[in-house]
Amino acid sequence: MKRIYAFGAGKAEGSALMKELLGGKGANLAEMNSLGLPVPAGFTITTEVCMQYLAQLPVRPGAGQADDVSLPEGLMDEVRAALAGVEEALGRRFGDADNPLLVSVRSGARVSMPGMMDTVLNLGLNDATVEGLAAAAGNERFAWDSYRRFVTMYADVVMGLHRARLEQLVNELKDSRGVSEDNELTAADWRELVGRMKRRVEESLGRPFPEDPYEQLEGAIRAVFRSWNTARARYYRRENGIADHWGTAVNVQAMVFGNMGDDCATGVAFTRDPKSGAKLFFGEFLLNAQGEDVVAGLRTPQPVNREGDGADSELPTLQETMPEAYAQLVDVYKRLEAHYRDMQDIEFTIEKGALFILQTRNGKRTGGAAVRIAVDMVLEGLIDRGEALRRIEEEHLSQLLHPSVDPSAERTVIATGLPASPGAATGQVVFSAEEAVRVAAAGSPVILVREETSPEDIEGMTVAAGILTQRGGQTSHAAVVARGMGRCCVVGCSDIVVHREATFTARPRDGEGNEWTVRAGDVITLDGSTGDVMLGEVAMTSADLDGSGLDELLGWADELARLKVRANADTPKDASTARSFGATGIGLCRTEHMFFEGDRVQAVREMILAEDQEEASRALEKLYPMQRTDFVGIFEAMESCPVTIRLLDPPLHEFLPHTDAEIESLAEQMGVRASRIRTQVENLKEFNPMMGHRGCRLGITNPGLYRMQARAILDAALDVAARGVEVKPEIMIPLVGTARELEVLRELVMDESEQVFERRGSRVEFLVGTMIELPRAAIMADRIAEHADFFSFGTNDLTQTTFGYSRDDARFLQTYTAPDVAILAKDPFVSLDQEGVGTLVRMGTERGRTTRPELKVGICGEHGGDPDSIAFCNEVGLNYVSCSPYRVPVARLAAAKVTLLDN
Amino acid sequence: MKRIYAFGAGKAEGSALMKELLGGKGANLAEMNSLGLPVPAGFTITTEVCMQYLAQLPVRPGAGQADDVSLPEGLMDEVRAALAGVEEALGRRFGDADNPLLVSVRSGARVSMPGMMDTVLNLGLNDATVEGLAAAAGNERFAWDSYRRFVTMYADVVMGLHRARLEQLVNELKDSRGVSEDNELTAADWRELVGRMKRRVEESLGRPFPEDPYEQLEGAIRAVFRSWNTARARYYRRENGIADHWGTAVNVQAMVFGNMGDDCATGVAFTRDPKSGAKLFFGEFLLNAQGEDVVAGLRTPQPVNREGDGADSELPTLQETMPEAYAQLVDVYKRLEAHYRDMQDIEFTIEKGALFILQTRNGKRTGGAAVRIAVDMVLEGLIDRGEALRRIEEEHLSQLLHPSVDPSAERTVIATGLPASPGAATGQVVFSAEEAVRVAAAGSPVILVREETSPEDIEGMTVAAGILTQRGGQTSHAAVVARGMGRCCVVGCSDIVVHREATFTARPRDGEGNEWTVRAGDVITLDGSTGDVMLGEVAMTSADLDGSGLDELLGWADELARLKVRANADTPKDASTARSFGATGIGLCRTEHMFFEGDRVQAVREMILAEDQEEASRALEKLYPMQRTDFVGIFEAMESCPVTIRLLDPPLHEFLPHTDAEIESLAEQMGVRASRIRTQVENLKEFNPMMGHRGCRLGITNPGLYRMQARAILDAALDVAARGVEVKPEIMIPLVGTARELEVLRELVMDESEQVFERRGSRVEFLVGTMIELPRAAIMADRIAEHADFFSFGTNDLTQTTFGYSRDDARFLQTYTAPDVAILAKDPFVSLDQEGVGTLVRMGTERGRTTRPELKVGICGEHGGDPDSIAFCNEVGLNYVSCSPYRVPVARLAAAKVTLLDN
């Protein structure tokens, strides 16, 4: 068993493929070496050694405790041999008092576990070698400062003496010197301190600080191995699905210094612009500095060149300051990007004019950059289309499609609610729809703040830049409407209390107990992706899709995907948006929103309050031409794409007024007594409206309503077809639980269609299908399929009924999904519960297709835009998913990615 | 193929086993003949002939139309031959002008279809034979009256001339004679009328009324066959599951007359008392009368003897008037009962002193009589125990167990609601719980009338004789509580409107538009089995179980049944009731009602409104001793039977006050601001509480509550065990949807139990299980069973979630179950939906037992008391059903009957 893999001087025993054995960092260091890049030489001790060593130890919490279990026999001999190779590569010797080789000792697991495990730097310093370092650097203070840092770190990580015990000595010395900053201490001060520190180590632990570099090294290796089993590392592994038996490798690598003088530097560079994705080499550096200094941000870094962000800098560039090192860096970045075929984030150090690469990794990037880079790399022939798609995350598209709060912007979060519809918005607070309309008409963006919204608020929501509600969940009226509009929205924000539509008070849950009062006209900013409510205006980054590469990317996605993507759209405007985002049809056109618009709700109310059949028919006849116009608009917008229209679904009481004032005004309009309306409102009230008199139950008890809708759909289809546009109407019956419901209502639609076709002297093809959104519908799907041309799983309601969760009330889900409780891994309204609800989706699909093998099956719930759920739908064999227009790109991407996984 | 089966003179070619071929009536007539009973001779033409004949006809709606398709070849020859046998038996000849034989021609299908098909009586009369009949009867008027009846009936049934066309002639003649009643017309008048009628037949139909008796007979046979296919007969068959291809037989039988003089009589007798079941021969008769006269009730019938009801009659008995015929009748009834081994309802006619038996069938009886007769017959050795059980219907037990409105009592129904809890009650109307307590304490029975009830009404409900609510369904608070108490209850009575707790107005749906106003103090009667609300006091029949035979019968049931029967009981009193009705345990002890009692709700509210953990704990500590006392009482009442206790289930807002007055009073009691309570009430409000923050979700978010309950249960169990009583507590976690919920809460209960056992130094065996009442729980049952000792299907909630029906709102179910809509065959909250919800019950049971083969599985929903549902539970392999105490006898019976079916 080979236990140590060396690298250096353009050669390496390992490679990028050996992550399991060498860890990610070790494999990567080997790979860079093999590429001939100037990487400081070193070696990697394998993860197998780690597990062999740990097997001898009892697992116990708390890192850094001394223990006397030795490393596996002979290992240190192999370490010495490997170190000899490093010495040779660097021309320095470990422990050499003249020109000593110093090393870093770092962990490196198969998967990165940032900050979880231990590192020791500058190892090899002792009272003799520190002098050699001072000489080589020409800087005594640097050498002693490095030494005291090493002692502190080593004592803490390896010997188990908390670093505070030694840092205390620094403070004491500063006090006695009457100074406050580290940089006011001299080389002599640091030398003095090192002595005191080593004495304190011996006093505290009863054993001396090791002077022997090899003893130091052995201790550090053991400590890194042990750090695999600290409590925090084990917790991190459990949370991130990392196996306990993988172990960590140890990387021992020569130290290089960017802070040995003005011919030294350290920096970070990106092979392309991580913000825009533009193909520009891009980076920053500091002269005579260490890596930490770049991160700390105390000095202003200089650009590496004049491209991109460096164009207007007043500071000299690396290209200007160190043209040779820069040229070498350019050569390196090109080779790295070509090798890794992705944009690289590179850490480099220049020691006395010589360039060293310390690390390279795939660079983090904005959504826009991710798309731009992926598309460019396909065009450059670096990667194929599948790879381009694989690299794009849902998050990237969300960022790209919505304006978002600038991550670096200052903000004051005063409350946090449920992120109901992504994007960000700033505007004046208004507390009513009327006020929203008034203020927006005057040209000011507004944020509509309501306890909860109701259909009467639609106009206000339409003009608002963002919507904030105190109550209601992810399917509350506000949330559904806002997502349909692509409008930023935060709902169920229980941190706020709205007072009499004039102010709201906010008290952030995790805050200091400050209470904020916000008045109408005050400006706030909402982040619909996090649920944050912020005071005042907060800087944003905006969405701009032109030239983003998104169209090309999603075009490739569509070619690959088996699942089609449709959109949920209720208006011609939504339909156009959906088409522009690439929807292949409408999977769910809800008709209830149409019933609220303008003066229609008046006719709807007349229908509901009708005392006899005739009165009801008259009201329906008022609605009919308006419905027909709606459908004409939608069919035109969707051209030849299929349009699934759901007949009326919500309980009728949603359309009735509820306050005394509204009731009286309606009574006056209708010329009836208010008491009659009040009685009707009272009679229609329901304890659990979600499970009440709605969906096809309305169609059964009130067939005139569904007849009117069917007639409007088919007349509209004929109107549009007459203009030469192909129409594909699909009439969908909601909330079916028995085959007989669908049978009766299908007959009704068929009967109505024959009347329309006869009257018009013309026919149009159409389908009749049903939502599967009740457990019983999934169970009875074979029988229901006898009467259905298609199924569409309404997974919102199916999730509600399968779990028995009312989504609007399920605040307990916050507890259920909390990591320490972990009843549920995810919110089932966000990502489909595959084992529970999914069993019913699978059963419904399979049973439906036993009756009708060619049955078209889709899904139209919020899950239709969730990548994990889309993967499930693909596996079950659905034909399409349907989601809100703004989620269509995400769904197209996800549908392609799941096909990539299959292949 | 034999086409005709003759009977008469103590012989018969058919038997009771030949119902398929001869129809029920034909088989029965044959059987009685074979027994040697004096049955008028006749013959039966088989159902095969019927189908052969009908096969030649196009099926068309509307009966009685003339058509010219002949009877199968040679049939009429066989009819003549059979008729010759009848002539011989009777000593009269068909068509004989001196002493004619008359016959009846009747249909008779395999299964009785009362009133659906046609009959012709007195066939054989013509202008010649009518004179012979007059001579034989010594009564010309009787003969001509019989003749005109025959003409009318024959013209209508056979020839297709509506009877009104001929009856018109009777009215014309009466007008011209200046009389108003039939009996004012003379023999001559009738003779005149017959002539006119026959002329009208000929004028209307273009063919004469047939004079030839054989032509009459052939026409009648064809008409009876055709009547199988009338629209109403086909509709009846569809509704009652009778196959179209069964066909009807035709029975041709000699007419006998009870109205030929004072040596004639007709009557009805029962072999035992149909009201009490006592073994007394019992009946009524009229001298010189026809069967119709007994039914019409114009004359007061005389008793057949002095036993039973005849003891005090002033009228002479049959025994006294016609001792020979009576003796013969006694002989007949004994043979009939011995032969049919059931109480018989016998129709007899005495013609000139000779007894004829026209019909015998199993007699209808009250619930009490059914039980009494079944038990007596077992003791008499007539039937076995299984047969006794088979004969008892659910309805019989309901009648026996609850007082009920006397079926013959006069009543004014002013409204009808949902029948929520059976029985009947009369009392003064009160509109509040306080008033109920006050009036009841004064000794008057009260009917509590509320818009809907809430926990505050409990005391009022306890003292009320009956409960009526305007709103709420079969699981509304009122319905559930009333059923638990066995209290008569009508809910969701939308025919009434309660006004300010002072009056209610009622307008019956199908009434004349009368509106009734009922004030506090007015007396009404409720029928909890029909939902009727009646004005004033209505006579009732009461329940008296002593000596009813019920205990013996149900004891036999328990020996047979595989399924055990438990009861749902929340209090020691309910538990005792359950035990007295034979429950083998408690399947569901709800703890929420305990939380409402007396001053407990105060502590519950303190817990809910607590601002921190400590405050909540203090409130729970107040509840703990009360809960412990509750459970002690229940364990004692149930002795060694298992008691399944469900931890708290309803959402907490149910315990909070809602009106301003209540809130302010609570605030004062608690010493906090009312606004704090108001905010909390507002925060806890839910859109769909049925699917809200309840069940185990409370236990997860509020573990202290479930810990307290577990501690109270186990301490109580140890208290009772210490007194030497065996206890079997089963702790049940409600509304589980994921395995993890049960895992967490089981651990919590286990942890608490260890603390209790350690503190007490004593242990008790107990189980921890869960309700399966969500579709997801059934789907995940294999995983859930890992943590469950038992499952109990909560089919109320499972039905709600599987169908997506809120039971309290599902008024549309009235439409859904209406025969013309027929979306659902039955209300799924009354009888388990076997194909939908049942699939989940089966899946849950099977999956649970794959994990734990010995898993104990029960059902505790309203369905636990429904016989069809019980049969399903037996089939699925459940261990027990649990229902309200008053349903336990019904369930025990049903559990036995389903076992009988299996064997």
Side-chain angles (χ1 to χ4, degrees), chain A residues 744-762:
Chain A
V744 168
L745 294 173
R746 185 191 179 95
E747 270 173 26
L748 176 151
V749 170
M750 287 307 183
D751 181 64
E752 197 66 32
S753 74
E754 283 310 317
Q755 294 182 34
V756 170
F757 296 161
E758 196 163 315
R759 168 165 50 76
R760 301 285 294 259
S762 169

Side-chain angles (χ1 to χ4, degrees), chain A residues 658-672:
Chain A
H658 289 97
T659 67
D660 278 352
E662 288 171 328
I663 288 173
E664 269 150 36
S665 137
L666 177 63
E668 205 169 309
Q669 279 172 45
M670 290 183 61
V672 300

Side-chain angles (χ1 to χ4, degrees), chain A residues 605-664:
Chain A
R605 287 167 173 176
E606 285 171 18
M607 173 197 78
I608 298 169
L609 300 171
E611 292 223 314
D612 55 38
Q613 209 47 53
E614 206 182 318
E615 230 179 282
S617 299
R618 271 200 306 277
L620 285 170
E621 284 315 308
K622 288 188 200 169
L623 284 170
Y624 159 75
M626 308 191 228
Q627 279 266 284
R628 180 169 166 175
T629 311
D630 294 327
F631 296 133
V632 164
I634 288 172
F635 288 136
E636 282 180 338
M638 292 308 290
E639 290 169 339
S640 62
C641 298
V643 177
T644 306
I645 297 168
R646 180 175 74 183
L647 301 189
L648 196 70
D649 184 53
L652 296 180
H653 53 75
E654 284 199 4
F655 299 96
L656 291 181
H658 289 97
T659 67
D660 278 352
E662 288 171 328
I663 288 173
E664 269 150 36

Side-chain angles (χ1 to χ4, degrees), chain A residues 109 127 251 410 504 548 568-569 614 821 846 852 855 887:
Chain A
D127 293 346
N251 297 293
E410 290 277 329
F504 73 82
S548 66
N568 302 345
E614 206 182 318
V821 180
E846 287 171 359
R852 218 175 257 237
L855 188 74
R887 290 295 289 184

Side-chain angles (χ1 to χ4, degrees), chain B residues 495-571:
Chain B
D495 293 355
I496 70 165
V497 180
V498 176
H499 304 281
R500 297 162 192 276
E501 305 201 348
T503 61
F504 73 83
T505 48
R507 187 194 290 272
R509 251 164 296 168
D510 307 320
E512 311 281 304
N514 288 330
E515 184 166 284
W516 305 84
T517 299
V518 177
R519 288 177 182 75
D522 290 354
V523 170
I524 62 172
T525 297
L526 300 183
D527 185 336
S529 307
T530 62
D532 284 346
V533 181
M534 291 155 279
L535 222 50
E537 186 168 351
V538 181
M540 293 186 208
T541 62
S542 71
D544 178 11
L545 301 184
D546 283 348
S548 65
L550 187 63
D551 280 350
E552 282 126 306
L553 187 86
L554 293 179
W556 301 337
D558 293 345
E559 282 172 27
L560 264 167
R562 193 190 61 69
L563 271 176
K564 298 285 176 216
V565 177
R566 296 194 186 184
N568 301 345
D570 305 343
T571 63

Side-chain angles (χ1 to χ4, degrees), chain A residues 451-452 470-473 682-694 696-698 700-701 735 737-738 740-741 744 774-777 779-780 783 800-806 808-809 811-812 815-816 820-824 833 835-837 839-840 843 847, chain B residues 451-452 470-473 682-694 696-698 700-701 735 737-738 740-741 744 774-777 779-780 783 800-806 808-809 811-812 815-816 820-824 833 835-837 839-840 843 847:
Chain A
E451 232 180 296
E452 50 191 309
Q470 179 184 340
R471 290 163 56 84
E682 201 55 34
N683 282 346
L684 287 173
K685 222 186 242 175
E686 294 185 309
F687 295 98
N688 298 289
M690 194 267 134
M691 310 166 87
H693 193 163
R694 48 170 287 236
C696 68
R697 299 162 197 173
L698 294 173
I700 298 284
T701 56
L735 213 69
T738 68
R740 176 91 180 125
E741 285 166 325
V744 168
L774 296 171
R776 196 176 191 281
I779 294 167
M780 303 301 293
R783 298 277 311 283
Q800 294 200 80
T801 45
T802 305
F803 274 98
Y805 293 165
S806 164
D808 284 330
D809 301 311
R811 276 162 289 178
F812 58 83
T815 305
Y816 268 40
D820 54 329
V821 180
I823 302 282
L824 295 168
D833 160 47
E835 49 182 11
V837 179
T839 296
L840 291 173
M843 183 188 288
R847 292 191 173 184
Chain B
E451 231 179 299
E452 48 191 311
Q470 180 183 340
R471 292 164 53 85
E682 202 55 36
N683 282 345
L684 287 174
K685 223 187 241 176
E686 294 185 310
F687 294 99
N688 297 290
M690 194 264 134
M691 309 166 85
H693 192 163
R694 49 171 287 236
C696 70
R697 300 161 197 174
L698 294 173
I700 298 286
T701 57
L735 213 70
T738 68
R740 176 91 179 124
E741 285 166 323
V744 167
L774 295 170
R776 196 175 192 280
I779 294 167
M780 303 301 291
R783 298 278 311 284
Q800 294 199 79
T801 45
T802 304
F803 273 98
Y805 293 164
S806 164
D808 284 331
D809 301 312
R811 274 162 293 179
F812 58 84
T815 305
Y816 269 39
D820 54 329
V821 180
I823 301 282
L824 295 169
D833 160 48
E835 49 183 9
V837 178
T839 296
L840 291 174
M843 183 188 289
R847 293 192 172 184

Side-chain angles (χ1 to χ4, degrees), chain B residues 74-387:
Chain B
L75 185 74
M76 280 309 292
D77 294 336
E78 293 174 32
V79 165
R80 279 171 195 267
L83 204 51
V86 178
E87 289 171 336
E88 193 173 326
L90 274 282
R92 298 181 197 156
R93 292 186 56 80
F94 192 55
D96 182 348
D98 289 336
N99 185 19
L101 169 67
L102 303 186
V103 297
S104 62
V105 181
R106 295 177 213 250
S107 66
R110 191 188 298 191
V111 171
S112 172
M113 293 167 61
M116 284 303 122
M117 287 180 302
D118 290 327
T119 290
V120 181
L121 301 179
N122 296 326
L123 188 138
L125 281 175
N126 58 20
D127 292 347
T129 56
V130 68
E131 304 291 357
L133 182 63
N139 187 335
E140 203 178 0
R141 191 181 177 286
F142 153 73
W144 282 97
D145 182 22
S146 299
Y147 192 12
R148 71 94 192 185
R149 285 175 198 265
F150 165 61
V151 171
T152 308
M153 195 179 255
Y154 192 92
D156 183 43
V157 168
V158 181
M159 302 181 77
L161 183 69
H162 198 283
R163 58 188 308 131
R165 296 287 310 282
L166 300 184
E167 279 163 357
Q168 190 191 1
L169 296 171
V170 180
N171 293 330
E172 284 169 12
L173 186 70
K174 285 197 283 194
D175 288 351
S176 73
R177 291 279 184 279
V179 302
S180 63
E181 299 299 326
D182 278 10
N183 60 16
E184 297 175 86
L185 294 178
T186 63
D189 289 334
W190 291 124
R191 177 195 298 258
E192 171 64 29
L193 268 171
V194 167
R196 292 190 191 176
M197 283 176 171
K198 291 167 83 175
R199 280 195 297 280
R200 170 146 308 173
V201 167
E202 186 158 5
E203 286 158 19
S204 302
L205 302 176
R207 53 200 168 96
F209 189 91
E211 282 287 305
D212 175 7
Y214 284 101
E215 189 185 340
Q216 291 173 359
L217 182 56
E218 181 174 354
I221 292 168
R222 295 206 307 218
V224 169
F225 281 154
R226 286 201 309 272
S227 71
W228 178 252
N229 274 342
T230 58
R232 63 180 177 158
R234 281 181 292 136
Y235 177 82
Y236 182 91
R237 289 203 292 275
R238 205 167 52 238
E239 290 296 303
N240 290 276
I242 299 171
D244 283 337
H245 69 266
W246 287 354
T248 182
V250 174
N251 297 293
V252 178
Q253 191 179 19
M255 293 287 298
V256 290
F257 296 95
N259 55 349
M260 274 189 175
D262 285 343
D263 54 354
C264 299
T266 191
V268 174
F270 293 87
T271 61
R272 305 195 183 204
D273 185 336
K275 290 198 292 297
S276 71
K279 199 177 176 188
L280 297 171
F281 181 54
F282 177 91
E284 297 175 331
F285 76 104
L286 284 173
L287 275 181
N288 195 14
Q290 280 186 302
E292 297 124 75
D293 301 326
V294 181
V295 176
L298 295 174
R299 287 162 56 191
T300 304
Q302 301 163 242
V304 294
N305 58 22
R306 296 278 167 212
E307 297 171 34
D309 286 6
D312 304 324
S313 174
E314 292 172 3
L315 299 170
T317 65
L318 184 67
Q319 189 172 18
E320 290 154 4
T321 317
M322 298 183 174
E324 260 178 62
Y326 177 78
Q328 209 183 341
L329 184 59
V330 167
D331 177 59
V332 164
Y333 100 71
K334 288 185 173 164
R335 284 160 65 194
L336 279 172
E337 193 181 86
H339 183 71
Y340 287 104
R341 298 178 302 120
D342 200 353
M343 187 267 273
Q344 295 297 298
D345 167 356
I346 301 164
E347 290 177 21
F348 62 90
T349 286
I350 298 168
E351 186 185 283
K352 296 184 180 295
L355 176 74
F356 291 96
I357 304 299
L358 301 185
Q359 178 150 301
T360 188
R361 55 190 165 194
N362 294 339
K364 297 230 179 298
R365 63 205 79 182
T366 64
V371 171
R372 179 77 272 154
I373 290 169
V375 171
D376 282 351
M377 285 191 170
V378 171
L379 301 179
E380 292 162 24
L382 268 177
I383 57 175
D384 65 16
R385 292 172 174 189
E387 179 58 28

Side-chain angles (χ1 to χ4, degrees), chain A residues 351-554:
Chain A
E351 185 185 284
K352 297 184 178 297
L355 176 73
F356 290 96
I357 304 299
L358 301 184
Q359 177 149 301
T360 188
R361 56 189 166 194
N362 294 339
K364 297 232 179 297
R365 62 206 78 181
T366 65
V371 170
R372 179 76 273 154
I373 291 170
V375 170
D376 282 352
M377 284 192 171
V378 171
L379 301 179
E380 290 162 24
L382 270 179
I383 58 175
D384 64 16
R385 291 171 175 192
E387 180 59 27
L389 290 165
R390 258 184 224 107
R391 287 185 185 172
I392 307 301
E393 302 295 331
E394 175 192 346
E395 193 48 42
H396 292 141
L397 294 189
S398 284
Q399 268 185 38
L400 193 58
L401 294 167
H402 294 284
S404 53
V405 174
D406 186 334
S408 63
E410 290 277 329
R411 70 197 67 188
T412 308
V413 174
I414 59 169
T416 304
L418 303 175
S421 181
T426 295
Q428 285 184 27
V429 169
V430 295
F431 289 99
S432 72
E434 296 71 39
E435 197 62 6
V437 172
R438 201 185 59 71
V439 175
S444 301
V446 299
I447 305 290
L448 177 61
V449 181
R450 302 282 292 156
E451 232 180 296
E452 50 191 309
T453 65
S454 73
E456 282 89 4
D457 294 324
I458 287 278
E459 233 184 321
M461 296 170 77
T462 310
V463 302
I467 297 146
L468 168 63
T469 69
Q470 179 184 340
R471 290 163 56 84
Q474 291 280 16
T475 47
S476 62
H477 179 261
V480 170
V481 171
R483 271 196 297 275
M485 294 174 172
R487 188 79 75 257
C488 163
C489 178
V490 174
V491 298
C493 183
S494 51
D495 293 356
I496 70 164
V497 181
V498 176
H499 305 280
R500 295 162 192 276
E501 303 202 349
T503 61
F504 73 82
T505 48
R507 186 195 291 272
R509 252 163 296 168
D510 306 322
E512 312 281 305
N514 288 331
E515 184 166 285
W516 305 84
T517 299
V518 178
R519 290 178 181 73
D522 290 354
V523 171
I524 62 171
T525 297
L526 300 183
D527 186 335
S529 307
T530 62
D532 283 346
V533 181
M534 292 155 280
L535 222 50
E537 187 168 349
V538 180
M540 292 187 209
T541 61
S542 70
D544 178 12
L545 301 185
D546 283 350
S548 66
L550 188 63
D551 281 350
E552 283 127 306
L553 186 88
L554 293 179

